[in-house]
Amino acid sequence: MSRVYNFSAGPAVLPEEVLKEVADEMMDYRGTGMSVMEMSHRSAAFQEIIDEAEKDLRDLMNIPDNYKVLFLQGGASQQFAMIPMNLMKNKVADYIVTGQWAKKAYQEAQKYGKVNKIASSEDKTFSYIPDCSDLPVSPEADYVYICENNTIYGTKFKELPNTKGKTLVADVSSCFLSEPVDVSKYGIIYGGVQKNIGPAGMVIVIIREDLITEDVLPGTPTMLTYKTHADAGSLYNTPNAFCIYVCGKVFKWLKAMGGLEEMKKRNEEKAKILYDFLDESKLFKGTVVPKDRSLMNVPFVTGDKELDAKFVKEASAAGLVNLKGHRTVGGMRASIYNAMPKAGVEALVAFMKKFEEENA
């Protein structure tokens, strides 16, 4: 069986070079006589793996020294509670709701204090990013929260909101490491790794040190306190060791490819191939306002549910898999993360052209 072009939103495609390296080391990691899966997280060999992964991530993102990098479990969804538990000193937070995940985070935060929805794009099925240049930011808000790239709806903040001096917290799960980013603009920037970086089961949290305190909401579990993990170098408990190892390999791959500037260039080139076709197609159409389009997730529809289903089925048979849209919106979605080669996008467009001719 040859490899397919996998357009899944996550768990998602990983670089083949990385998968081959992992396979080569599966039985014996660098002469240890064991797999990383079997290795003690307290061993010198693993300490080297986690230290190197953090160093490479810091290099890639130019993470300032006053930010901690935490490799945590519970995925991005656990952060929906962890953020308010650790940051809601005044018991007030402002949320910008531009999709399903921002909405879930907004709902979760309501368990911990007063949460204001200061902007939303729900009125048009989250197909655009609202103007965030002059929002009613609450004077007593502890932070302003966004989901920067909306995996389900295919929108992306091209400009960060004006938080009027308040701490910005951003979920970047599906655009993580897809382009350069100024970490100093955020208080917390975090993402589940299973979309653009590694296997499922981990979230990376990059957090400014002044936000890591013992002053958390009463009743916050030890495991959900940032300080616990920051003080222990992400080794308070057994971490997702194998995931950290694979992510570390992906960071090395990204550096070898030329870093985030180069990834941005490649991602823009890939996305343009698909968006240009959608803009001229008579059968398929993109669902997002052009200026807010994501480079990572591209939703599209034919306008006919039966035809959508036929397309997904035939594409899958042609080795273009996981193109079905999220259950909440239907249609199709191509996730074209860093590891998706340009050839995969070209193959998809060629198939769409053929499908359009046959079903016009």
Side-chain angles (χ1 to χ4, degrees):
M1 173 75 184
S2 61
R3 280 178 65 78
V4 295
Y5 286 121
N6 176 14
F7 294 94
S8 169
V13 59
L14 282 163
E16 287 197 7
E17 294 96 315
V18 169
L19 293 173
K20 283 174 180 155
E21 266 185 47
V22 170
D24 287 344
E25 294 175 346
M26 184 57 78
M27 299 298 286
D28 176 12
Y29 175 74
R30 300 191 180 172
T32 58
M34 60 182 136
S35 170
V36 175
M37 280 193 202
E38 307 168 291
M39 192 179 278
S40 165
H41 63 296
R42 304 285 177 209
S43 66
F46 185 73
Q47 189 65 52
E48 198 178 309
I49 289 170
I50 192 170
D51 288 347
E52 208 162 304
E54 178 176 338
K55 183 190 174 299
D56 287 336
L57 180 62
R58 285 184 176 278
D59 289 350
L60 279 167
M61 293 180 75
N62 292 316
I63 298 173
D65 291 342
N66 64 324
Y67 283 74
K68 290 269 195 233
V69 173
L70 308 176
F71 299 105
L72 307 178
Q73 290 163 78
S77 296
Q78 188 156 287
Q79 294 304 307
F80 300 168
M82 205 162 167
I83 287 157
M85 283 175 162
N86 284 266
L87 265 53
M88 261 196 184
K89 317 292 186 205
N90 300 320
K91 295 281 190 80
V92 181
D94 289 352
Y95 278 64
I96 297 168
V97 178
T98 50
Q100 197 86 338
W101 303 111
K103 189 177 178 179
K104 285 185 172 177
Y106 162 72
Q107 288 166 337
E108 187 74 7
Q110 289 170 32
K111 296 175 178 176
Y112 305 102
K114 181 174 188 290
V115 185
N116 307 300
K117 191 194 289 186
I118 56 170
S120 171
S121 53
E122 201 161 2
D123 60 330
K124 292 184 181 164
T125 329
F126 299 124
S127 58
Y128 70 102
I129 296 289
D131 177 4
C132 296
S133 57
D134 186 19
L135 297 170
V137 176
S138 321
E140 64 280 16
D142 291 300
Y143 60 89
V144 175
Y145 182 101
I146 62 168
C147 179
E148 201 164 312
N149 185 102
N150 298 283
T151 323
I152 296 174
Y153 302 94
T155 58
K156 164 84 164 70
F157 279 83
K158 302 291 165 78
E159 270 176 52
L160 293 175
N162 173 6
T163 64
K164 303 186 177 172
K166 298 294 180 187
T167 296
L168 177 65
V169 174
D171 173 353
V172 296
S173 294
S174 50
C175 58
F176 219 162
L177 301 182
S178 63
E179 58 182 31
V181 55
D182 181 354
V183 174
S184 67
K185 290 183 174 172
Y186 306 81
I188 294 181
I189 180 168
Y190 79 92
V193 300
Q194 75 280 8
K195 298 174 183 294
N196 211 21
I197 306 175
M202 194 170 77
V203 58
I204 295 175
V205 176
I206 300 161
I207 176 170
R208 208 173 60 225
E209 285 176 348
D210 61 287
L211 299 173
I212 304 171
T213 65
E214 281 170 353
D215 174 25
V216 297
L217 294 188
T220 298
T222 307
M223 276 293 288
L224 295 186
T225 303
Y226 289 123
K227 194 170 189 320
T228 299
H229 301 285
D231 288 352
S234 299
L235 294 171
Y236 173 76
N237 66 320
T238 310
N240 191 334
F242 192 75
C243 188
I244 292 168
Y245 156 72
V246 180
C247 289
K249 295 244 183 245
V250 173
F251 301 154
K252 290 233 181 288
W253 176 79
L254 286 167
K255 286 173 93 171
M257 295 301 257
L260 303 190
E261 290 285 354
E262 177 61 26
M263 287 327 289
K264 184 181 190 201
K265 220 164 72 191
R266 285 169 183 242
N267 289 327
E268 285 174 340
E269 193 186 340
K270 284 189 304 195
K272 188 177 189 307
I273 294 167
L274 185 46
Y275 284 125
D276 283 355
F277 170 70
L278 286 171
D279 288 343
E280 66 188 33
S281 170
K282 304 251 187 303
L283 179 63
F284 298 100
K285 68 173 205 298
T287 56
V288 173
V289 172
K291 72 174 179 56
D292 298 327
R293 284 170 166 173
S294 164
L295 295 178
M296 297 285 101
N297 313 101
V298 184
F300 55 97
V301 293
T302 64
D304 177 335
K305 278 184 181 169
E306 281 173 18
L307 206 51
D308 286 352
K310 185 183 180 198
F311 173 82
V312 169
K313 191 178 172 192
E314 291 183 8
S316 189
L320 306 160
V321 306
N322 292 318
L323 282 161
K324 190 169 188 248
H326 191 272
R327 61 184 184 278
T328 56
V329 287
M332 283 74 69
R333 170 182 53 182
S335 292
I336 49 175
Y337 298 122
N338 286 342
M340 172 59 68
K342 184 177 160 189
V345 181
E346 289 169 341
L348 173 61
V349 168
F351 180 81
M352 289 168 80
K353 282 180 177 160
K354 180 170 160 285
F355 186 87
E356 181 164 341
E357 283 161 20
E358 290 168 2
N359 295 273

